[in-house]
Amino acid sequence: MKTRVLGVPIAAILVLALPVMPFCLSNVALADEDGAHTHEHGTGLSWFSLVRPLGISALTCVLVTFGTGLFRRRLRTRFLKVHRVFAWLAVGLGLVHGILVLALFGT
């Protein structure tokens, strides 16, 4: 029996929540005090510091989606579920990353 929370499988919640966890738990690691960008704000997290991790997360999801496509015969029944989750996650992260880049660095 699969465990579900509000009708959603726990595995799907974990797949969607794990890439977001570093942003929630670590505001010191993302704060670049000695970097080229100095911004005056009260917290250690800025929009500029989210651009690179979102890009890396989107690229990782694209690579996992590509990898599941390559190994679809080995994954069999789980292929479409994993492939679809990571594809939508890659699209969402890519859109957020692109919007941030255009909004913050676009001229």
Side-chain angles (χ1 to χ4, degrees), residues 21-37:
M21 291 299 281
F23 303 122
C24 299
L25 298 176
S26 164
N27 63 359
V28 176
L30 294 177
D32 189 14
E33 297 294 332
D34 299 324
H37 297 291

Side-chain angles (χ1 to χ4, degrees), residues 1-2 10 16 18 24-25 37 55 57 63 67 76 79 84 90 92 102 107:
M1 186 168 125
K2 294 183 180 178
I10 294 292
L16 295 174
L18 285 178
C24 299
L25 298 176
H37 297 291
S57 299
L63 292 176
R76 298 186 191 245
F79 157 70
R84 187 179 296 154
L102 289 175
T107 53

Side-chain angles (χ1 to χ4, degrees), residues 4 8 18 24 28 34 52 54 57-58 60 63 67 73 76 85-86 95 100-102:
R4 294 177 173 264
V8 180
L18 285 178
C24 299
V28 176
D34 299 324
R52 185 175 292 161
L54 280 173
S57 299
T60 302
L63 292 176
R73 289 191 178 155
R76 298 186 191 245
V85 167
F86 276 101
L95 282 174
L100 270 179
V101 167
L102 289 175

Side-chain angles (χ1 to χ4, degrees), residues 14-66:
L14 287 176
V15 166
L16 295 174
L18 285 178
V20 180
M21 291 299 281
F23 303 122
C24 299
L25 298 176
S26 164
N27 63 359
V28 176
L30 294 177
D32 189 14
E33 297 294 332
D34 299 324
H37 297 291
T38 56
H39 307 285
E40 295 181 18
H41 48 79
T43 64
L45 185 66
S46 69
W47 292 109
F48 291 96
S49 64
L50 289 177
V51 172
R52 185 175 292 161
L54 280 173
I56 292 170
S57 299
L59 181 63
T60 302
C61 287
V62 167
L63 292 176
V64 169
T65 304
F66 180 74

